[in-house]
Amino acid sequence: MSQKQMKEAFVSNHNGTSVLEITQGLCLPVLCVLCRGLLLVLSQHLFSSHTWGTRFFIDFVILIVPLVATLTILSSFILLEHLAAIILGAGLFYQIYCRRTCCARMPVQKILQKFLKTSLESDYIPAISCFRVINSAFTAIAILAVDFPLFPRRFAKTELYGTGAMDFGVGGFVFGTAVVCPEVRRKYTKGSRFYHLTKSLYSVWPLVFLGIGRLVIIKSIGYQEHLTEYGVHWNFFFTLIVVKLITSLLLIIFPLNKSWIVAISITVLYQLALDFTPLKKLILYGTDGSGTRVGLLNANREGIISTLGYVAIYMAGVQTGAYVLKKRSHIKDWIKVAYCILLTAISLFISLYIVQVNVEVASRRMANLAFCIWIVASSLILVSSLLLGDIILSFAKFLIKGAQVPCSWTLIQSPATNKKHSESLVSEAERKEPSLCLITAMNRNQLTFFLLSNITTGLVNLLVDTLHSSTLWALFVLNLYMFANCLVIYVLHLQDKTIKFW
């Protein structure tokens, strides 16, 4: 076998892992984000302000390194990682509580009552930014790590049925994009429906360029491909293009708050078509039933037809965004939001079990009903966990006056309380100081980070014999790769640069 064939075989024919293990892996970054916030609150109370280099190092070590370890050497010890993160977080929170500068002589019950009366001031929802960044970081690590032997094969993309950690990456990206789409942010508030559709058509041209560019480069250099992932010519950029065009049209026809009905209708009808028409046979075996790749449809049948499932995921993301991004100013309101999202996620996981037992197991290749439910349920679990983490971090900031944590809610006092104290909760430095935050940097240039990760992954694969790399060498390469990508994005953020492709 050639080197290309060996690499293609190495990432093919896998059956995935359990939904529970993937969910556990997704929740670890939430604890990392919370520990990082608590550490910043405590360190600001004990030490002077940090330089940008120190802040970048803290963010990288706490946010990125644990993800690399989770997807490699510590993949079998996820629960122990959770336990370690919980102990660290509890210790940091205890130290913050002991050193509190607000409500120093109040009992815990009265402190909580006062905190629940506190209002929030934020131009964005930190949990949404963290969701998108976590998904981007996981994807960036996985697309390179999968080529090394230390990456567990059960985390790789599944061949036909099953749930792999990398399968969540594509679905989570679509969901995260939908949550902050222009329609949800009410960006298109003026003009006709035709004008809105035209704007959407214009916005996809960078994806067309990227999709064609990736296709040309992959074919010209003979880079390894996983044929049954999308097909011969199709790639994820083309899926994003079609999803964007179809959903833009749907959001013109249907009200934003009815997106969940559209999502359910599409995925149920699609599953019925898979079960009662030759559609499933077409995806798996082509038009002649022998796996032919002759013709545009046969060559790219997985990528073209599975787009319907991603459209449903996108519409579910739109509904989530419309709910989460509503203006809310009180802590109590956000506790209710986290609770409702968590209940919805649990309900979807129950539905997933029923569907997988009685209808069909999740399949990324077809993006069937079970796959769509799994992606949405996992995404909602992550969002609700991040919201709860934000609330805990807000309480820690409440205890230490003037505490500054980038990519977190800014606290203000409720109108019923002392205005002077209200202003003291947010220092002037916090309003003026530039945000030294890796999360903000990655969220700001998410597409650039994704492209950079793909380019550097290709370079590493061309320069390094990944199949025969030792564990220590693979860990070094993976951490250096992520360090370089994150540093570039961080420097762009410090220079106040946002790279737009349109």
Side-chain angles (χ1 to χ4, degrees):
M1 294 175 69
S2 67
Q3 185 78 357
K4 177 186 175 183
Q5 291 173 325
M6 289 173 64
K7 287 191 173 184
E8 288 175 346
F10 192 58
V11 298
S12 302
N13 301 312
H14 300 299
N15 298 318
T17 184
S18 67
V19 170
L20 178 60
E21 185 176 25
I22 297 173
T23 305
Q24 290 171 348
L26 286 174
C27 289
L28 179 66
V30 178
L31 296 172
C32 293
V33 170
L34 178 58
C35 288
R36 170 253 193 187
L38 295 174
L39 180 62
L40 290 177
V41 172
L42 184 60
S43 63
Q44 287 168 19
H45 180 65
L46 299 176
F47 308 107
S48 58
S49 59
H50 300 131
T51 63
W52 73 267
T54 304
R55 188 65 66 82
F56 173 77
F57 180 77
I58 292 173
D59 282 357
F60 183 81
V61 170
I62 297 179
L63 300 178
I64 304 299
V65 173
L67 301 192
V68 175
T70 299
L71 290 174
T72 53
I73 56 173
L74 297 182
S75 59
S76 299
F77 306 97
I78 295 179
L79 289 179
L80 287 178
E81 287 185 275
H82 278 78
L83 181 61
I86 290 171
I87 291 173
L88 175 61
L92 291 170
F93 189 85
Y94 176 75
Q95 292 298 320
I96 291 170
Y97 182 79
C98 291
R99 290 171 169 80
R100 64 188 184 278
T101 58
C102 179
C103 312
R105 297 183 179 179
M106 283 188 183
V108 176
Q109 188 174 359
K110 287 192 176 181
I111 295 176
L112 287 172
Q113 289 175 353
K114 193 171 183 179
F115 171 67
L116 292 175
K117 294 178 181 177
T118 304
S119 299
L120 304 170
E121 177 186 288
S122 179
D123 295 331
Y124 64 94
I125 311 303
I128 300 302
S129 298
C130 290
F131 174 88
R132 288 159 53 82
V133 168
I134 288 170
N135 192 65
S136 294
F138 258 132
T139 302
I141 296 166
I143 58 175
L144 178 58
V146 70
D147 296 316
F148 289 94
L150 84 167
F151 184 83
R153 296 300 98 190
R154 67 183 186 278
F155 287 172
K157 289 181 178 178
T158 54
E159 189 67 24
L160 179 54
Y161 290 109
T163 52
M166 291 186 71
D167 292 330
F168 176 78
V170 289
F173 189 91
V174 170
F175 186 91
T177 302
V179 170
V180 294
C181 70
E183 291 84 357
V184 171
R185 292 182 285 120
R186 309 290 180 179
K187 190 174 181 180
Y188 302 149
T189 55
K190 296 181 181 180
S192 63
R193 293 185 175 184
F194 178 76
Y195 171 77
H196 296 165
L197 185 60
T198 305
K199 290 284 287 184
S200 296
L201 289 171
Y202 176 72
S203 69
V204 302
W205 79 260
L207 296 174
V208 175
F209 174 76
L210 294 171
I212 294 175
R214 187 183 189 279
L215 173 63
V216 171
I217 293 172
I218 291 295
K219 297 297 181 183
S220 61
I221 66 175
Y223 195 76
Q224 66 265 19
E225 298 178 86
H226 190 179
L227 186 62
T228 58
E229 184 177 356
Y230 294 109
V232 178
H233 313 104
W234 202 268
N235 58 55
F236 186 54
F237 291 113
F238 293 141
T239 296
L240 290 177
I241 292 167
V242 177
V243 168
K244 179 62 178 175
L245 295 179
I246 294 176
T247 53
S248 295
L249 184 60
L250 290 173
L251 290 171
I252 288 174
I253 298 172
F254 299 98
L256 200 67
N257 61 354
K258 303 298 181 185
S259 298
W260 66 276
I261 298 177
V262 178
I264 293 174
S265 301
I266 291 173
T267 191
V268 169
L269 290 173
Y270 176 46
Q271 184 63 49
L272 289 173
L274 289 172
D275 289 340
F276 298 105
T277 71
L279 187 61
K280 184 186 295 185
K281 184 179 178 181
L282 171 63
I283 296 174
L284 300 181
Y285 307 111
T287 53
D288 65 352
S290 62
T292 179
R293 291 289 176 179
V294 178
L296 185 63
L297 177 61
N298 281 315
N300 306 287
R301 55 183 183 265
E302 296 92 348
I304 293 173
I305 299 174
S306 67
T307 300
L308 289 172
Y310 290 108
V311 168
I313 292 170
Y314 190 98
M315 295 304 289
V318 168
Q319 183 68 54
T320 303
Y323 175 65
V324 174
L325 296 182
K326 284 182 180 178
K327 293 291 183 181
R328 297 178 180 88
S329 58
H330 293 89
I331 291 288
K332 287 182 178 180
D333 295 332
W334 284 108
I335 293 175
K336 291 178 182 177
V337 170
Y339 176 72
C340 289
I341 294 177
L342 182 60
L343 282 183
T344 304
I346 292 172
S347 301
L348 286 173
F349 275 119
I350 294 172
S351 302
L352 173 63
Y353 175 78
I354 295 171
V355 169
Q356 292 207 115
V357 170
N358 298 286
V359 181
E360 190 176 38
V361 177
S363 170
R364 175 204 48 80
R365 189 169 170 183
M366 292 183 281
N368 59 2
L369 174 61
F371 177 80
C372 294
I373 294 174
W374 171 56
I375 293 296
V376 176
S378 299
S379 299
L380 292 181
I381 278 286
L382 185 52
V383 171
S384 62
S385 300
L386 287 166
L387 284 172
L388 291 172
D390 284 335
I391 293 167
I392 295 171
L393 182 57
S394 296
F395 184 53
K397 291 174 65 178
F398 174 79
L399 295 174
I400 304 291
K401 291 181 183 178
Q404 304 170 35
V405 179
C407 197
S408 66
W409 277 313
T410 299
L411 302 181
I412 59 175
Q413 199 72 3
S414 62
T417 60
N418 191 309
K419 183 179 179 181
K420 182 178 179 181
H421 183 68
S422 167
E423 294 173 350
S424 71
L425 289 174
V426 184
S427 67
E428 192 65 26
E430 184 177 3
R431 296 179 183 276
K432 293 183 178 179
E433 184 181 326
S435 176
L436 302 177
C437 178
L438 182 58
I439 295 174
T440 305
M442 291 175 65
N443 186 60
R444 180 176 185 173
N445 283 297
Q446 188 180 28
L447 183 56
T448 304
F449 179 78
F450 181 69
L451 290 175
L452 185 62
S453 301
N454 276 269
I455 293 170
T456 48
T457 294
L459 290 174
V460 171
N461 269 283
L462 292 174
L463 297 173
V464 177
D465 181 9
T466 56
L467 291 180
H468 302 96
S469 296
S470 66
T471 299
L472 286 177
W473 173 244
L475 281 175
F476 173 77
V477 171
L478 285 170
N479 281 290
L480 180 62
Y481 151 85
M482 286 302 294
F483 184 87
N485 291 338
C486 291
L487 184 60
V488 170
I489 295 301
Y490 198 79
V491 171
L492 283 174
H493 175 62
L494 292 179
Q495 297 296 320
D496 201 24
K497 303 291 185 183
T498 302
I499 298 179
K500 286 189 174 291
F501 296 85
W502 59 89

